[in-house]
Amino acid sequence: MKTRIHAAAGAVALVTVSAFWLSTATVELLGDTAAITAVKNYVLAGMAVLIPAMIIAGASGFSLGKGWKSPVVARKARRMRIIAANGLLVLVPSAFLLSGFAAAGRFDSLFVIVQTIELVAGATNIALLSLNMRDGLSLRRKPLRLAARAR
């Protein structure tokens, strides 16, 4: 059960960050200021989904990995620390700043700088979450392969 919760929370986190990134990139390229403002507000509101998913994925992953000596588990844990720091130190503050800037109609160079930083940090988290999902799936398949060979 814990494995399914971990997988579901990780998937929700990856899909949510990807949706934030894609909607931001799309609206920045094709949208007007009203659309940009709407997306910035949706991203901020979406933190209510993303943050619990990240907490659940991290806590369940830590619990599942406890006692494992696998280098794959160690890599996942290292990545998760980077993902969490990136989220807490860059993505969450950026979401608040950009939503505030957009609401105030402030689409100046500071908005562009913060938006660029947010897109880079988001892309980094998408890549790291994807690698963690790949490694999680390989850990899940490994016992199945070993059981099949034993037959």
Side-chain angles (χ1 to χ4, degrees):
M1 181 65 148
K2 195 184 302 183
T3 303
R4 288 182 186 196
I5 291 170
H6 177 69
V12 168
L14 178 56
V15 167
T16 304
V17 173
S18 297
F20 290 172
W21 197 94
L22 287 170
S23 60
T24 295
T26 301
V27 78
E28 288 293 334
L29 293 172
L30 304 173
D32 59 8
T33 57
I36 293 170
T37 301
V39 167
K40 294 292 102 192
N41 289 331
Y42 291 138
V43 167
L44 188 57
M47 293 293 170
V49 172
L50 178 60
I51 292 170
M54 293 294 291
I55 291 169
I56 292 167
S60 60
F62 180 78
S63 176
L64 287 166
K66 194 179 286 187
W68 283 52
K69 302 294 184 210
S70 168
V72 175
V73 173
R75 279 195 308 267
K76 283 180 57 105
R78 272 193 309 273
R79 282 189 211 117
M80 198 62 201
R81 285 191 283 276
I82 295 167
I83 292 164
N86 194 15
L88 290 172
L89 301 175
V90 179
L91 293 172
V92 171
S94 294
F96 277 99
L97 272 173
L98 292 168
S99 180
F101 287 170
R106 184 177 169 187
F107 298 99
D108 57 7
S109 58
L110 184 57
F111 180 92
V112 173
I113 290 167
V114 174
Q115 183 62 81
T116 302
I117 291 167
E118 183 188 53
L119 285 168
V120 170
T124 300
N125 272 9
I126 291 167
L128 294 174
L129 286 165
S130 297
L131 290 170
N132 272 5
M133 181 173 276
R134 179 204 63 193
D135 285 349
L137 290 170
S138 75
L139 286 169
R140 185 172 176 184
R141 283 189 294 261
K142 193 173 190 176
L144 296 175
R145 285 193 306 263
L146 292 174
R149 282 189 212 149
R151 291 183 201 163

